Amino acid sequence: MHIPESLQDLANSEAVQFLKRPKTIARSFAGVFSLIVFSSLLTDGYQNKTNSSQLHCVLNSNSAGCSFAVGAGLLAFLSCLAFLALDAHEGRTTSSRFKTAFQLLDFILAALWAGIWFVGFCFLANQWQHSLPRQFLLGSSSVKAAITFAFFSILVWIFQAYLALQDLRNDAPVPYKRSLDDGGVVVTSLSPLSATSPVNTPTTGPHSLSYTSSALSPHLTTPKAPRLTMMPDT
């Protein structure tokens, strides 16, 4: 099957390559999971009891549980959108300090959100476990969806922290490398000797000695002692 050239150009375009990045996919999943968490409890999280018309949170009538899930889900969703926008402009920046600071911030926030969603998952599951059965007419399916995707959010934010840590390790500047033999500093780039570069070549003559080491290190040659000559008596 022959693929048209236009589709090949589309597949090789910068936008498609950006969407295929693991970091972009992870952020997209994290944003979708956060959207499900806060939208589920925002729409069906507050219900009235069978004997009252007042709205209560379906999580054990604890409004802190619904407020936490809605607030954390909304902030995580906005965070994913902001980092997606920054990822799109990251390749256009040439400052290494900005990239390092951005990757460090990405790692810190990803680890922080993983911890927040872990606490949120435990809190939501605990409140739902202590909720009375059939106390509310609706909202049970929304709570289960929020708890499930809160758990998935832990995994996806841990994966984002891992990707950010890998970027920090790969882009960290390495000024030199240590030798494994003697612990000395190994020069990674050496300029080759050119034919026109001056080399201290030894000259040979009837009264001179040539040393092969003088071409390598002219400062290590031993100076010649002056010779004494005997003058005949007149």
Side-chain angles (χ1 to χ4, degrees), residues 9-30:
D9 295 338
L10 179 62
N12 297 328
S13 62
E14 184 178 356
V16 175
Q17 295 298 324
F18 172 75
L19 294 176
K20 290 168 61 178
R21 293 174 57 187
K23 185 183 292 186
T24 305
I25 297 174
R27 294 196 198 281
S28 301
F29 275 104

Side-chain angles (χ1 to χ4, degrees), residues 56-120:
H56 297 274
C57 179
V58 296
L59 293 169
N60 198 22
S61 298
N62 189 359
S63 59
C66 293
S67 300
F68 175 82
V70 171
L74 181 60
L75 291 178
F77 177 72
L78 295 178
S79 177
C80 291
L81 292 181
F83 272 93
L84 281 175
L86 291 175
D87 287 338
H89 295 280
E90 183 184 4
R92 302 178 183 178
T93 58
T94 58
S95 177
S96 59
R97 292 184 178 180
F98 175 78
K99 290 183 178 180
T100 305
F102 172 73
Q103 292 167 358
L104 182 61
L105 179 63
D106 186 14
F107 172 74
I108 294 175
L109 288 181
L112 180 63
W113 274 115
I116 291 175
W117 282 118
F118 176 76
V119 174

